[in-house]
Amino acid sequence: NTTNGFIVELSTDKGATYTEAARVAAGATAYTLTGLTPETEYSVRIRAYNNDGIYSDYSNVVATETTGDPSAPKLSENPFPANGAREGIAAGLTLTWENSTKAYDGTVYYTVKIGEAADNMAVVAENITAKEYKTTNLEANKTYYWQVNAKNDIGTTEGTVWNFTTTEGGVLFYTDFNTQPEEWYQKYGNIGDNTNVYNTKNSSVTVGGMTFGSGDNTIRIIAMSGANNSADPNADYGPATTDDEGASNRCLQFYTTAAGGYMTTPEVTGPCVVSLWLGNTDAKAKTVKLNTVINGQETTVQSMQLGAKKRVYKFTYTHTASGPVVFKIDNNSVKFNINDILIERYTVNGADFLELTSGSLDNKNISYADGSLSLGFNQEVKYNGGAKIQGRTQYETFDIAAAGAKININYEALNANAEYSIVFPEGAITDVSGAQSYACTMNISTCDWPALKQEGETHFGKAAATLPISMAPFDAVAPFETVGGLVQDKQNDYPHWVQASGSVSADCAVLTSTSDKLMIYFEPQSQMLGLMIEYEGTGSPRLKVQESRNCDNAPGWRTMRVLEKADFPFHGEFALNPETHFVKLAPVTIGGSLKVTAMNLSDAEGNFPAGYEASLASVVTDNVAVIASGNVITVTGVPANAVVGVYDLAGRLVGSAKGNASFNLTSGLYIVNVNGIKTVKVML
């Protein structure tokens, strides 16, 4: 370009964006850029132009970096532990820091000093290049001061003197209501005046993982801007005794003397030790409560009594149980300060505490198909029984057992779009010695049905067109009219699928192999499946009764119930999900023969084929009788403290009572559950 010139462009974001830095005359082969920022990376490119607005392609990009004037290293910053922090030393403690000095003026070397006083620190590492140092010989419950000096070929920069306090275990949570947690510091660390954290009722606010709130009373909770602590035991807010020392200066104040004010810590994993430094704001004795919240259950574990002096008092509580726990401080209608809260890991009798290492306590959208879940621990465990299952609506089963370091949960007959909880209380899961317990709640939610069968999919068009229908005659090949006009040409096909290794006649199908199955595919909505089955043999039969919206697509079949030896001979009905279009009988074990003499589907109103008599009008289970008459379900023979629950087909509770009870309901199919054990289906 000899008539116009060149444009020089600069980027300081690695070429993401460019700005014009200069225009250079035609024929130039060099240009000096001025006014650049020291220690900055630049990307440079040029292109030619003319006055007609025509530009050449860009040149190759040249990357460069400015160095600045020669200087000693920058000041080290961002220490770990943070200045004033508390850190556990059970697993050792590595000090780290940051320093952004680049090696323009030679390699940067660091010298680390540590001591129990800021003016008496000893060199523990010298001429190291890594920005970390693993400490040795630190003692618990002491405050250490440390400094990092940096040097290069130009000179040495002395670092800031930081400090931290050691604890015996690892720190799970700490707040000084000043610098920690970080979110608290950002919001309240630099306030000039006392500032409300909370000042309302029936609400809550969360800062730094801590939640502050109240019930029906308006409670004022304040972040205090000034020091509310003294090293002098004779001064206001000094330690009440030498055992009460260790509080930091700033605090949180519960100001309102009304009930219902509280704060909670973040959830931590036990066993652990919680230490609290509480300040009495006057010379009246008062009590503050410490509660634990485990699996939603709140328990008062310590009443913390502040003496009749304006002093700071330290309280310690050891929580020996494993598993998630939240600590809650109840204001108990008194005015007081909280200077510090420290939660540390706790080791039981020198052994590793029981800890969950694999598996999840929150299992969302899992398959409703029969399966299993497991919880893995850091050591061998025992299951001692006592788990409570919540959310059962029909015949769901959960088989829980320990195997080495795992708790295995095998489940059957879960509903679609359902929610369950397995509550393991204290003592249910323990280490092999029984000294430690892991209390927790496992939550489970199941997925939706697969989509309806679409044109082009396997078996599309083979559904039975009308209801009610019966599998009898069992030996027929094509007894049902199909929606697609297809004619079944073999027994092991839809809609009337009979696959039986025993005899098959018009009146029955005999299942003798675990590969046998009876299935029906139907189009209209059916309310119930009715069965009559006999067992012969000396084995332990298990027969799954299953349903699906589309069994050929995952998750496929859902087990409604598993019939076992004690259930035979069986004559009963199963309430079907309104979305069901497939039903199936599938033996898991037999050890003899299962003779199916009736397998009938009702229509949407619950009407069965002629000749089949439903079994639901009156059912007696042990001493409990469930009787349906008109629109009333009557339950008798129930112990006074036993709970009777009545559910609709969607699993919603529509009635509940203790002992003998009657329920006036609209027409429909209901599930009656007695004390979470006995379940009966009733048609009104």
Side-chain angles (χ1 to χ4, degrees):
N1 189 321
T2 57
T3 55
N4 297 114
F6 302 92
I7 298 174
V8 181
E9 295 181 353
L10 289 180
S11 171
T12 57
D13 55 12
K14 299 185 183 298
T17 59
Y18 282 87
T19 58
E20 183 176 315
R23 294 198 174 215
V24 183
T29 59
Y31 179 77
T32 301
L33 292 166
T34 59
L36 302 181
T37 304
E39 298 187 17
T40 303
E41 294 181 0
Y42 287 94
S43 299
V44 185
R45 68 184 184 184
I46 63 173
R47 63 176 174 173
Y49 73 98
N50 65 26
N51 291 332
D52 295 325
I54 298 175
Y55 299 88
S56 71
D57 292 337
Y58 281 108
S59 66
N60 293 332
V61 174
V62 175
T64 187
E65 184 175 352
T66 56
T67 62
D69 296 329
S71 65
K74 297 178 182 178
L75 189 68
S76 296
E77 56 187 2
N78 294 333
F80 176 83
N83 191 35
R86 295 175 183 269
E87 287 298 329
I89 59 173
L93 180 62
T94 298
L95 310 178
T96 65
W97 58 92
E98 295 178 5
N99 192 304
S100 60
T101 305
K102 296 186 177 181
Y104 306 133
D105 301 306
T107 302
V108 180
Y109 296 95
Y110 301 99
T111 297
V112 181
K113 296 180 178 182
I114 300 178
E116 294 183 32
D119 58 357
N120 188 24
M121 296 182 292
V123 174
V124 293
E126 197 169 11
N127 293 329
I128 61 174
T129 56
K131 286 174 274 195
E132 64 178 31
Y133 171 72
K134 185 172 180 60
T135 62
T136 58
N137 301 321
L138 297 184
E139 297 180 28
N141 303 313
K142 284 191 174 183
T143 297
Y144 288 91
Y145 297 83
W146 64 298
Q147 180 184 45
V148 178
N149 298 332
K151 72 175 181 179
N152 59 12
D153 294 344
I154 303 302
T156 298
T157 301
E158 289 197 356
T160 303
V161 176
W162 302 304
N163 72 82
F164 62 88
T165 301
T166 57
T167 63
E168 293 182 356
V171 174
L172 302 176
F173 173 74
Y174 174 65
T175 180
D176 59 0
F177 294 104
N178 183 9
T179 62
Q180 298 185 59
E182 177 66 22
E183 186 182 0
W184 180 276
Y185 174 71
Q186 294 298 328
K187 193 164 187 177
Y188 300 111
N190 295 306
I191 56 176
D193 296 306
N194 297 341
T195 303
N196 287 341
V197 176
Y198 179 89
N199 191 21
T200 185
K201 62 181 179 180
N202 294 319
S203 185
S204 64
V205 62
T206 299
V207 183
M210 301 176 289
T211 298
F212 310 88
S214 67
D216 293 337
N217 291 323
T218 296
I219 301 293
R220 184 183 179 195
I221 305 173
I222 308 169
M224 305 297 283
S225 61
N228 284 266
N229 177 57
S230 173
D232 184 355
N234 297 311
D236 286 349
Y237 299 121
T241 69
T242 56
D243 292 336
D244 300 300
E245 295 176 350
S248 58
N249 286 335
R250 296 274 290 276
C251 70
L252 176 86
Q253 185 174 96
F254 277 82
Y255 182 83
T256 309
T257 56
Y262 68 88
M263 73 152 287
T264 63
T265 68
E267 183 178 85
V268 296
T269 299
C272 54
V273 179
V274 57
S275 299
L276 304 102
W277 285 262
L278 308 183
N280 193 344
T281 55
D282 52 48
K284 297 178 181 179
K286 57 191 66 173
T287 300
V288 178
K289 294 181 179 179
L290 177 65
N291 300 342
T292 58
V293 183
I294 302 172
N295 294 331
Q297 182 70 38
E298 184 172 335
T299 305
T300 298
V301 294
Q302 188 169 354
S303 294
M304 300 179 287
Q305 297 179 349
L306 283 65
K309 290 185 178 181
K310 198 173 182 180
R311 299 289 188 270
V312 172
Y313 301 82
K314 179 183 178 183
F315 300 91
T316 300
Y317 170 72
T318 301
H319 178 73
T320 58
S322 297
V325 59
V326 170
F327 292 99
K328 179 177 180 180
I329 301 169
D330 181 343
N331 77 328
N332 200 33
S333 306
V334 300
K335 181 180 178 181
F336 67 102
N337 297 337
I338 308 176
N339 289 65
D340 301 81
I341 302 174
L342 170 65
I343 307 176
E344 306 170 78
R345 290 180 182 269
Y346 176 62
T347 301
V348 180
N349 297 327
D352 290 338
F353 63 87
L354 189 58
E355 183 176 17
L356 185 67
T357 57
S358 64
S360 175
L361 295 176
D362 191 15
N363 302 275
K364 295 181 179 178
N365 204 38
I366 70 167
S367 170
Y368 55 72
D370 300 342
S372 64
L373 295 166
S374 65
L375 298 174
F377 294 86
N378 62 333
Q379 56 188 284
E380 188 173 346
V381 292
K382 295 193 302 182
Y383 175 60
N384 304 301
K388 299 177 181 178
I389 311 299
Q390 298 175 347
R392 279 194 180 113
T393 58
Q394 297 185 44
Y395 296 100
E396 299 94 327
T397 63
F398 296 84
D399 182 21
I400 305 170
K406 284 189 175 182
I407 295 292
N408 295 319
I409 302 102
N410 296 312
Y411 53 83
E412 290 180 320
L414 301 192
N415 221 329
N417 300 305
E419 294 185 354
Y420 304 94
S421 293
I422 306 176
V423 180
F424 294 97
E426 288 291 326
I429 301 173
T430 65
D431 62 5
V432 291
S433 70
Q436 298 185 69
S437 173
Y438 192 92
C440 63
T441 297
M442 172 183 275
N443 295 311
I444 300 170
S445 65
T446 57
C447 65
D448 193 9
W449 296 100
L452 282 169
K453 195 168 285 296
Q454 303 295 316
E455 186 172 359
E457 288 187 28
T458 303
H459 304 307
F460 180 78
K462 295 182 180 180
T466 61
L467 294 176
I469 55 176
S470 171
M471 282 292 276
F474 288 89
D475 57 357
V477 174
F480 303 151
E481 178 186 351
T482 64
V483 293
L486 304 175
V487 178
Q488 185 175 344
D489 59 5
K490 54 186 177 181
Q491 282 197 325
N492 58 337
D493 197 2
Y494 290 119
H496 179 274
W497 192 308
V498 177
Q499 187 171 325
S501 301
S503 62
V504 179
S505 66
D507 297 328
C508 68
V510 180
L511 312 180
T512 60
S513 169
T514 55
S515 62
D516 291 347
K517 54 191 171 186
L518 301 181
M519 299 188 291
I520 306 176
Y521 175 22
F522 54 97
E523 179 68 17
Q525 180 181 333
S526 174
Q527 190 179 90
M528 287 188 291
L529 168 67
L531 298 172
M532 295 178 67
I533 308 171
E534 301 170 8
Y535 173 71
E536 289 186 6
T538 58
S540 300
R542 300 186 80 244
L543 178 67
K544 289 187 177 182
V545 184
Q546 297 181 312
E547 65 179 341
S548 182
R549 180 158 65 179
N550 185 348
C551 63
D552 295 314
N553 289 349
W557 292 105
R558 177 208 160 233
T559 299
M560 293 184 284
R561 182 177 174 184
V562 180
L563 298 177
E564 299 183 331
K565 190 171 185 177
D567 297 312
F568 299 111
F570 180 82
H571 178 192
E573 290 72 42
F574 293 87
L576 297 178
N577 190 289
E579 298 291 329
T580 292
H581 292 284
F582 293 81
V583 292
K584 177 183 180 182
L585 299 184
V588 180
T589 59
I590 299 180
S593 63
L594 290 164
K595 182 180 179 181
V596 182
T597 58
M599 183 174 180
N600 299 314
L601 283 171
S602 77
D603 59 18
E605 285 71 44
N607 300 307
F608 281 102
Y612 178 78
E613 183 178 349
S615 66
L616 293 178
S618 179
V619 180
V620 178
T621 305
D622 296 333
N623 295 321
V624 177
V626 181
I627 301 171
S629 177
N631 287 335
V632 177
I633 296 175
T634 301
V635 187
T636 62
V638 182
N641 291 326
V643 177
V644 178
V646 181
Y647 301 82
D648 63 14
L649 273 180
R652 295 176 294 234
L653 184 67
V654 296
S656 180
K658 285 188 176 181
N660 298 332
S662 294
F663 304 90
N664 196 324
L665 303 166
T666 59
S667 298
L669 186 64
Y670 295 93
I671 301 159
V672 179
N673 181 274
V674 180
N675 218 32
I677 301 174
K678 304 298 183 184
T679 303
V680 176
K681 296 181 179 65
V682 178
M683 170 65 74
L684 293 180

